[in-house]
Structures are given as C-alpha cells and as structure tokens.
Amino acid sequence: MLQIFKSTDSGLTTLDQVEDGAWINLVNPNEQEILFISKDLNIPAEHLKAALDEEERSRIEVDEGCTVVLIDIPVPSANLQDGGIFYTIPLGIIITGKNIVTVSLQENYVIKSFIDQRIKSFYTFKKTRFLLQILYRNSKLYLQYLRHIDKASDKIESKLHKSLKNKELIQLLELEKSLVYFSTSLKSNEIVLEKILRSTPVKMYPDDTDLLEDVIVENKQAIEMANIYSNILTGTMDAYASVISNNLNIVMKFLTSVTIVLSVPTMVASFFGMNVDVPFENNPHAFVIIFIMTLFFSLILAITMLRKQLF
C-alpha cells in the first residue's frame, strides 16, 4: 500500500503524486510501488526493502544522499484478548533532500497516530523533527504496551491462585516472550538513538536535540521496565508452578480422605452381604441398625481425620 501525505494550512492532506515536502508511507509494498518510489526519489531499492525483512536489525546509515534509519516497533498480535503476545517488526525511515519515507510490513499504531493527526506540531516538511517524533512515539508505545503486559500478568496471577491447569502458566510464558522481544528491540533502538546523538547524521536544531534526549530517556525507561517485568514474571512462573502442584496435592489428599471414609460403609455392606449367618439377620429393623452403626463409625473416622487436617 502506497500513501502520500503533505502538511498544509488545513492539516494533513492526501496526495496522488509525490511533491516536495511530502511524506510517503509504504505498508507491505509490492514490487511496483518499491520501484516507483525508488526511481522517483532516487532511493536505492534495497533501502526500501530492508524494513520488509523481519530479521533486519536496527541501524542508521547515510548512503547516496539519503539517511536510512531502521528501528524496531512494537505490534500486538491479532489474538491479544485471548492471551496473545506482542512482538516487534522493523520500521524504515528514509530521509532525502526533500521528502521522508516510512516503510513497514504492516499497519501499526506508531504511523497510524500521525495519519490520524494525534501528534501535535507535526509537519511532513520538517523531516528531522518528524523523525524524532516517530522515535518518541515509538518509545511511548513501548511503555504503554509494557503497562498492558503488567496488568495482564496481574489478572493471570489472580486466576492462578485457584488454578489446577497449565493455561495460565502458558499465558504468562507468552507475556514473558513479549518482554524478551521488547527488551532486545529496545536495546537495539538505544544504539541507534545514541548514534544519532553523537554523530548527528541529520541536521538538528536545539529543540530537536532536546527532543532526542527525551526519546533516549523514554527508551531507557522502557528498557528498565522490560527487565523488571521480565524478572518478576520469571519468579512468578516458578512460584506458581509450585502452587499448581501444591493445589493438585491438596485435591488428591481430600479425595483420598473421602475414599477412606466411604470405605467403612462399603466394608460393612460387604460383610453383611456374605452368604453366611450374620447378626440381625432375623431382626426386622436390621437395615436401620446397620445404617446407624455405619454412619456412626464413618462420622468418628471423618472427625478424627478432620482434626489431623487430612481434609
């Protein structure tokens, strides 16, 4: 999908053709769209295709009159409400002399927030500021998803108190995988941010430097949160694995105790069911007497086991 936007006095406008100061957004583009943008803006096609490789690492490089920035952005899975996970995909940001190009594998909330004009002081022709705003929005989104993971883990933990199944543990494992993805991607993004701060591959103004420093701070905070939540989840999973095993032992102990108590009536019924002479065989109230005696001994056994906390 190819989209062309440009900031005007009336807001963000959609264009049919590339103009100076325009923003070109490519989402899972086909070969024709890549070749069109490559030829029109004189950008090597491999730079546009780099962000389409899920294994591409975060980096920044200046090549043939354009600056290429690759970062990892967080994306929620389609089945997030059913215990799905978050993962990361590359986002390519290419700055040329007159335009800025973004390339991604799928629609994402980082770019969507700009298209929906939810970002203040956003202009497509201010390329450096636009780049930093994307980086800042990306760091904020990591923090937002990390808080979501924390809340999700709290809900799962509350269920684990009574659980005897592995479903909740598997959900915690999925969340831990998300944190591993986040932590790895955030550290890669940090390298890119530090390189931008040190080498200034794009022209920056004092306000831009302040914004970049804010981005670095937010990114570091996200890294710390990811590490903390990951450590907490690891300990929680180990603890609740023991809790589930203990819950199962409690149930087995209860069932065993019930079986022992019920064995008394079974034994009495077996004795009186033998084909031999037995007490009360000629007594018209034999059944009631035997039932009361059996109930009495069962209650005595149950009370004794209850006192010994076997129930």
Side-chain angles (χ1 to χ4, degrees), residues 112 139 170 203 262 296:
K112 193 174 186 299
S139 298
I170 293 174
K203 185 177 180 180
L262 292 179
F296 174 76

Side-chain angles (χ1 to χ4, degrees), residues 18-37:
V18 177
E19 297 180 3
D20 292 349
W23 162 35
I24 298 91
N25 181 43
L26 295 169
V27 179
N28 195 20
N30 54 41
E31 193 67 27
Q32 291 75 17
E33 292 171 338
I34 292 175
L35 291 177
F36 169 71
I37 296 300

Side-chain angles (χ1 to χ4, degrees), residues 96-222:
T96 66
K98 298 179 179 180
N99 300 96
I100 184 168
V101 182
T102 56
V103 189
S104 57
L105 275 170
Q106 65 184 69
E107 294 184 4
N108 55 83
Y109 290 108
V110 175
I111 297 300
K112 193 174 186 299
S113 60
F114 290 91
I115 296 176
D116 295 341
Q117 303 183 56
R118 295 199 300 267
I119 306 299
K120 296 180 179 179
S121 303
F122 155 57
Y123 305 99
T124 58
F125 51 82
K126 293 184 177 182
K127 300 183 292 296
T128 301
R129 174 54 65 103
F130 187 12
L131 167 64
L132 297 178
Q133 287 174 322
I134 292 176
L135 297 176
Y136 187 78
R137 174 58 183 161
N138 187 45
S139 298
K140 282 292 188 181
L141 197 59
Y142 271 111
L143 291 171
Q144 177 182 331
Y145 287 161
L146 283 169
R147 285 190 289 269
H148 179 92
I149 290 174
D150 185 43
K151 291 179 181 179
S153 65
D154 289 340
K155 292 180 180 179
I156 296 172
E157 286 175 26
S158 63
K159 296 179 182 178
L160 273 171
H161 287 287
K162 304 176 182 178
S163 176
L164 296 177
K165 300 180 181 179
N166 292 326
K167 178 181 177 181
E168 286 76 15
L169 279 180
I170 293 174
Q171 289 178 339
L172 284 180
L173 178 61
E174 297 292 337
L175 293 179
E176 188 176 26
K177 287 170 63 178
S178 300
L179 291 173
V180 172
Y181 293 147
F182 279 13
S183 181
T184 304
S185 297
L186 284 166
K187 290 176 181 177
S188 299
N189 290 349
E190 184 181 31
I191 296 174
V192 173
L193 296 174
E194 295 290 349
K195 188 172 182 180
I196 294 175
L197 183 63
R198 291 195 311 269
S199 59
T200 59
V202 290
K203 185 177 180 180
M204 299 183 66
Y205 299 93
D207 290 345
D208 295 334
T209 303
D210 293 338
L211 179 56
L212 177 57
E213 291 174 351
D214 291 341
V215 175
I216 293 175
V217 170
E218 294 291 330
N219 194 78
K220 288 183 180 294
Q221 182 181 353

